[in-house]
Amino acid sequence: MVKHYSGVSLAFIFMMSLLAVINADGRDLTTDFLSGSMSNVEEIVFAARSLNNRDGHWYANIGYYANDRGRMAFGKEGRLCKLNVRTGKIKVLVDDPAGSVRDPCVNYDGRQILFSYRKGGAENYLLYLVNSDGSGLKQLTKGDFDDIEPSWLPDGGIVFVTTRAKRWVNCWLTQVANIWRCDSDGGNMRALSANLEQDNTPWVTPDGRILYMRWEYVDRSQVDYHHLWTMYPDGTAQSVYFGNMHPGGVFIDAKPIPGSDDMVLINSPGHGGIEHEGFLATVNAKNGPDDLNSLRNISSRNGCRDPWAFSRDAFMVAIANTLVLMDGTGKSAVLYTLPAEFGGAWLHEPRPILPRARERVIPSRVDLSQPNGKFLLDNLYHGRNMAKVKSGEVKRIMIVESLPKPINFTGGMDPLSFVGTFTLERALGTVPVEPDGSAYFEGPALRSLFFIALDEDNRAIKRMQSFTTVQPNETVGCIGCHEQRVMTRTVAGATLPLAAKRAASHIEPLVGLPELPDFPRDIQPVLDRNCVACHNDAKRSGGVSLTGDHGPMFSHSYFSLKAWRQISDGGNHARSNYAPRMLGSGGSPLADKLSGGHHDVKASKQDKALVNLWLDLGAPYPGTYASLGCGSIGGYIENQQVLNNDRDWAETKAAQPVFKDRCDSCHGSTLQALPKTLSDGIGLDFWRPDLNDPRLKHSRHIVFNLSNPSNSVMLLAPLAKSAGGYGLCRSLGTGPDADSAVFTSRDDPGYQLLLAMCEGGKRHLEEFKRFDMLGFKPRFEYIREMKRFKLLPESFDLEKDPVDVYEMDKKYWDSFIYKP
């Protein structure tokens, strides 16, 4: 029912008198706007809703949380409203205090409003249509997923953002929403994006492209790359518009500025503010996507949302519960404030109710009957940071797929890696590179792909840190390897590339290698064959043990390779376009050691190929997402360490006096700190620690052995050599035991208390089990989502029914294979 709010115009007039900005000629900003850039505007539609105040992430405003099905990310107090800008009166077109309304978009004729609506008592946002006078409310989409941020397309369709992508944020507990399209009645839905992370706020530019924000981190920082991209309305020609080479800021809610080539947007600092809060800004990409001087903040205030441009000098934004006008210098005036009856709701997504011209219609280039598209690489030697790569050095390209997560529980990368990848990746195979540096090959449609250039030894020369997607029957071309985006093909050469003179190559699967290596299953045996003879708990050459024994979260070998910097994987740093041979197999000392020259190590060709592949695929610890949120002592959930009550375990409490009496005299300082519980991080930053920090080499992940507790470094370092220890820790003082081992015998009561503590950790780990332990079961939420995705029957019972989590993951990933 349409509601009219009387008396609001008085509040409107009062706010105008208090907050209108007076220009130099004596006129206020509101009068200027309404008689100038907004002279044809009578009504503005906006949404009102409360916030998810428990979560500050800009994208956490839909769906439920992974670890709590009853905890919802959305707010309530939902209303769709229409404001008369001349009188200040509003009509409430949709009124649902128990529900939520968002993202109104006015049709080209100005007569209908497309919006997203979650009815009170329901869990999901769906697309609705209503006439501008509030009549004719109609539901367009249905299902158990969220459809948000719709925008009309000039070809008559709708582009929108949806959780139908069936994936979860790589570093949080909420769902990913990707870009899809449908017909004007909600039919013929199909994906346009294959992003593992969020794509948000699509809007059509005057030339007919879709401008949107894309968040990505292909083994680079998870919190620094969420910038502007474009695609055609059929999903083809996905290309960076602005910012993807530079870390920092969320560039979101971008729209064209009439009468110019500029775009208005919200520049939300850092990893973004709640509900897209940030600075009102403009950008012009005429100098290419990397020129940061093209970005200009207009507002001095960080708190603007949902911008609209009437001209280059007239903007409208939402700030908290107000609708604000702002000129090009940042001067502002409040046009409207929500009435008290709206409770704590904020005002969102204001848009004028006006007829507007359709943008250019770009004919579709996809053929939905085809499963693949094609990629044409002109000359990979043309590009930034390629000067040191000799012509002919690259022999083939490995095609890698970044794999979505079916569930997630933490804000970090654990236990997939230590300060490394957040994502599992699988190798689809390789394609040849011609002598002139060109390549032409087929690729599967609607998948998140990236490429790695390999030399004759199949070691990485150059690695993408972004992803690309091809639509069915689309051909995507690039000039070189990380070329300048302002480069034209004539710079690379006028002759036709050799690869373009033949048919497209098919991807050749890897022979004798897994698509996705799992460290305990695939890499540890290589270390056992080639490294453990010297790097074991008894010999510990170089101070390193490479046995596969369990620590609190990782195996000793996995963590040691990281702590001793044998793996080069980018380390979760905000850095793009590394020099050649710096990442993966091309830049990891482990690959060098196995290739010869490290004492008498003579790894087989198969062993070297397996390790090189693992390094190039991000060097993960587990090979399954079923490992997430479980199998660790002192793991992380929602950015908080879960202590598993290990500090309260009887064995742990009993051992604490030993640390005080026997260890603190040497290990009391910060840099020499010793972990005193299985979850004690000794102050190390889990997200981006300094890999030169000496504490890494006596981290809890190394000093506690939960497979063979008596082999724990915590026990062997202070134990005398005569008793089978390392004799590294010495007693201090002036008595008869001065300068002797801390424990001269395994019968020492202190030694026995520490041993009991380690044995207690082993018992607890054996109870809840890690992914590589016999009898492991994933969390029930993993099974819950597999049921929701229709990949497991509702009757599946985790307590009774067996599940192969590696096959389950593969079934999930393969469900995204486009099948005409």
Side-chain angles (χ1 to χ4, degrees):
M1 180 176 68
V2 175
K3 289 189 178 181
H4 299 260
Y5 279 80
S6 61
V8 176
S9 60
L10 294 177
F12 169 81
I13 294 170
F14 180 67
M15 291 300 298
M16 290 299 96
S17 65
L18 286 179
L19 298 173
V21 174
I22 305 300
N23 290 332
D25 58 5
R27 295 183 305 166
D28 68 75
L29 190 63
T30 306
T31 301
D32 275 356
F33 275 36
L34 294 181
S35 61
S37 298
M38 293 178 63
S39 61
N40 61 340
V41 179
E42 291 290 330
E43 295 176 319
I44 288 172
V45 64
F46 64 84
R49 64 182 179 276
S50 60
L51 307 180
N52 169 27
N53 289 318
R54 294 168 293 184
D55 192 329
H57 291 92
W58 54 271
Y59 52 84
N61 51 24
I62 51 174
Y64 56 87
Y65 284 78
N67 63 341
D68 188 349
R69 189 69 170 78
R71 179 186 171 199
M72 311 306 295
F74 50 70
K76 298 182 180 179
E77 297 294 335
R79 295 173 177 89
L80 183 67
C81 305
K82 183 172 65 170
L83 168 70
N84 186 303
V85 299
R86 309 293 167 177
T87 67
K89 292 183 178 180
I90 65 168
K91 292 181 180 180
V92 179
L93 308 182
V94 176
D95 192 355
D96 190 348
S100 188
V101 175
R102 55 180 296 164
D103 312 317
C105 181
V106 180
N107 202 348
Y108 293 100
D109 60 11
R111 297 176 182 175
Q112 291 182 311
I113 300 168
L114 175 67
F115 66 105
S116 182
Y117 176 26
R118 180 192 61 79
K119 286 189 173 182
E123 293 187 352
N124 302 111
Y125 286 95
L126 298 168
L127 300 188
Y128 282 77
L129 194 64
V130 69
N131 293 326
S132 298
D133 62 3
S135 65
L137 181 64
K138 179 182 179 183
Q139 181 177 335
L140 298 183
T141 61
K142 59 183 179 180
D144 297 327
F145 299 93
D146 294 285
D147 302 328
I148 61 172
E149 299 178 348
S151 181
W152 294 102
L153 291 171
D155 61 16
I158 296 170
V159 62
F160 64 106
V161 174
T162 180
T163 60
R164 297 174 192 272
K166 301 178 181 178
R167 55 199 68 188
W168 289 71
V169 174
N170 272 246
C171 58
W172 200 234
L173 290 77
T174 51
Q175 295 170 63
V176 166
N178 285 170
I179 294 178
W180 285 40
R181 67 164 291 156
C182 65
D183 294 342
S184 59
D185 61 359
N188 289 322
M189 286 189 178
R190 74 176 185 91
L192 301 184
S193 166
N195 196 353
L196 271 61
E197 286 296 353
Q198 307 278 348
D199 293 320
N200 283 104
T201 60
W203 200 269
V204 182
T205 63
D207 62 8
R209 292 178 295 168
I210 297 170
L211 179 67
Y212 63 101
M213 185 229 70
R214 169 164 131 173
W215 177 21
E216 63 173 27
Y217 45 97
V218 182
D219 293 339
R220 57 180 177 168
S221 167
Q222 85 274 25
V223 295
D224 286 293
Y225 295 92
H226 8 54
H227 301 119
L228 294 179
W229 288 68
T230 59
M231 67 170 74
Y232 289 173
D234 63 354
T236 61
Q238 295 186 20
S239 180
V240 62
Y241 182 82
F242 188 81
N244 197 50
M245 280 291 293
H246 300 290
V250 177
F251 299 169
I252 199 163
D253 286 302
K255 297 175 181 64
I257 299 177
S260 76
D261 295 328
D262 294 357
M263 302 292 166
V264 65
L265 69 146
I266 294 297
N267 178 10
S268 194
H271 190 34
I274 188 170
E275 291 286 359
H276 309 177
E277 277 193 326
F279 296 94
L280 179 68
T282 63
V283 67
N284 187 309
K286 65 182 179 182
N287 292 327
D290 303 329
D291 180 16
L292 289 182
N293 292 323
S294 300
L295 178 69
R296 181 175 73 93
N297 283 351
I298 293 175
S299 68
S300 60
R301 174 177 178 174
N302 172 8
C304 299
R305 292 174 289 108
D306 309 319
W308 187 273
F310 298 102
S311 72
R312 296 182 73 171
D313 196 45
F315 304 95
M316 177 171 63
V317 295
I319 299 178
N321 63 340
T322 63
L323 177 57
V324 176
L325 303 179
M326 191 174 294
D327 70 11
T329 68
K331 294 179 180 179
S332 63
V334 173
L335 180 63
Y336 180 74
T337 299
L338 292 180
E341 296 95 316
F342 283 38
W346 277 15
L347 189 150
H348 302 265
E349 300 106 20
R351 283 99 191 242
I353 301 177
L354 284 175
R356 56 191 174 97
R358 289 181 184 268
E359 301 87 1
R360 182 171 71 98
V361 175
I362 301 176
S364 177
R365 301 186 298 170
V366 303
D367 181 352
L368 298 180
S369 69
Q370 301 299 314
N372 299 323
K374 297 181 179 69
F375 295 93
L376 176 60
L377 172 59
D378 196 330
N379 184 348
L380 58 81
Y381 300 107
H382 281 283
R384 292 174 279 196
N385 249 337
M386 291 295 288
K388 294 182 180 180
V389 182
K390 297 178 181 179
S391 181
E393 197 171 348
V394 178
K395 301 301 182 182
R396 60 194 61 82
I397 295 172
M398 183 159 63
I399 316 302
V400 181
E401 179 183 9
S402 284
L403 299 167
K405 282 182 176 175
I407 194 68
N408 200 25
F409 301 100
T410 183
M413 68 291 289
D414 64 293
L416 286 182
S417 74
F418 179 78
V419 199
T421 188
F422 285 73
T423 309
L424 294 178
E425 301 156 353
R426 64 178 173 184
L428 302 185
T430 63
V431 295
V433 173
E434 301 294 340
D436 66 347
S438 64
Y440 182 39
F441 55 94
E442 289 189 348
L446 290 165
R447 311 267 279 282
S448 178
L449 306 176
F450 67 92
F451 311 136
I452 302 174
L454 303 176
D455 64 15
E456 60 184 359
D457 296 319
N458 286 324
R459 292 186 64 177
I461 296 176
K462 192 74 170 175
R463 188 183 200 273
M464 279 179 65
Q465 289 185 285
S466 183
F467 74 90
T468 185
T469 298
V470 68
Q471 295 291 320
N473 205 44
E474 177 188 12
T475 297
V476 173
C478 60
I479 294 173
C481 191
H482 301 271
E483 77 273 14
Q484 294 283 353
R485 292 290 183 165
V486 293
M487 180 186 290
T488 62
R489 190 188 175 276
T490 54
V491 175
T495 60
L496 193 65
L498 292 176
K501 299 178 181 180
R502 57 167 172 78
S505 302
H506 298 291
I507 297 174
E508 291 293 332
L510 303 180
V511 177
L513 296 172
E515 284 186 330
L516 197 173
D518 175 273
F519 186 87
R521 182 192 65 202
D522 300 312
I523 305 305
Q524 186 60 49
V526 176
L527 302 180
D528 292 342
R529 287 189 289 268
N530 297 279
C531 310
V532 171
C534 294
H535 299 289
N536 54 57
D537 291 328
K539 197 171 183 180
R540 210 172 179 82
S541 296
V544 177
S545 174
L546 294 179
T547 70
D549 289 351
H550 290 128
M553 183 181 293
F554 306 103
S555 70
H556 283 187
S557 54
Y558 177 82
F559 188 83
S560 295
L561 289 174
K562 291 289 295 190
W564 269 263
R565 304 180 69 173
Q566 298 302 297
I567 298 169
S568 179
D569 56 7
N572 192 31
H573 288 289
R575 182 177 175 185
S576 301
N577 200 0
Y578 284 75
R581 300 188 185 277
M582 285 192 67
L583 295 177
S585 62
S588 297
L590 175 62
D592 293 332
K593 287 179 169 63
L594 292 175
S595 295
H598 182 67
H599 302 291
D600 59 350
V601 173
K602 296 180 181 179
S604 68
K605 182 178 180 180
Q606 176 70 10
D607 282 353
K608 288 187 288 187
L610 187 51
V611 169
N612 287 345
L613 176 65
W614 172 71
L615 292 168
D616 289 335
L617 298 182
Y621 177 44
T624 170
Y625 283 137
S627 63
L628 297 171
C630 57
S632 298
I633 298 174
Y636 296 81
I637 300 293
E638 204 165 340
N639 277 337
Q640 299 296 318
Q641 192 177 29
V642 179
L643 302 180
N644 303 96
N645 296 318
D646 67 300
R647 293 179 181 176
D648 296 325
W649 294 342
E651 306 95 323
T652 301
K653 293 176 74 172
Q656 295 311 297
V658 180
F659 291 101
K660 181 179 179 181
D661 297 338
R662 312 290 287 274
C663 305
D664 281 358
S665 57
C666 290
H667 293 283
S669 68
T670 300
L671 290 180
Q672 295 297 323
L674 200 66
K676 298 177 180 179
T677 71
L678 301 181
S679 59
D680 185 357
I682 59 175
L684 289 169
D685 177 15
F686 185 78
W687 315 118
R688 289 176 179 169
D690 179 3
L691 292 180
N692 291 313
D693 193 318
R695 291 175 295 177
L696 281 175
K697 296 183 180 181
H698 44 90
S699 159
R700 67 190 182 102
H701 301 299
I702 292 177
V703 300
F704 297 114
N705 191 321
L706 305 187
S707 296
N708 298 287
S710 62
N711 285 347
S712 296
V713 174
M714 184 66 73
L715 299 170
L716 294 175
L719 183 64
K721 290 184 178 180
S722 60
Y726 301 152
L728 296 175
C729 296
R730 317 295 293 179
S731 293
L732 299 180
T734 58
D737 294 328
D739 201 34
S740 66
V742 174
F743 303 133
T744 58
S745 166
R746 295 177 187 263
D747 294 328
D748 187 299
Y751 175 93
Q752 289 297 316
L753 287 171
L754 292 183
L755 175 61
M757 175 181 165
C758 297
E759 289 175 336
K762 177 182 180 180
R763 286 194 302 272
H764 285 284
L765 182 60
E766 288 174 342
E767 289 174 8
F768 55 74
K769 300 186 185 302
R770 192 166 295 172
F771 69 94
D772 61 336
M773 298 172 70
L774 188 64
F776 166 77
K777 292 182 180 179
R779 289 177 59 136
F780 82 91
E781 295 96 338
Y782 174 89
I783 299 299
R784 179 195 71 202
E785 294 304 297
M786 292 303 184
K787 289 181 179 181
R788 187 166 74 105
F789 301 153
K790 310 301 182 187
L791 299 174
L792 279 177
E794 285 297 327
S795 60
F796 182 89
D797 186 338
L798 182 59
E799 297 303 316
K800 299 177 182 178
D801 299 326
V803 57
D804 183 329
V805 293
Y806 294 92
E807 287 300 316
M808 193 72 250
D809 273 5
K810 189 174 188 303
K811 185 176 181 180
Y812 164 69
W813 298 323
D814 287 350
S815 71
F816 299 107
I817 295 175
Y818 178 71
K819 298 175 182 177

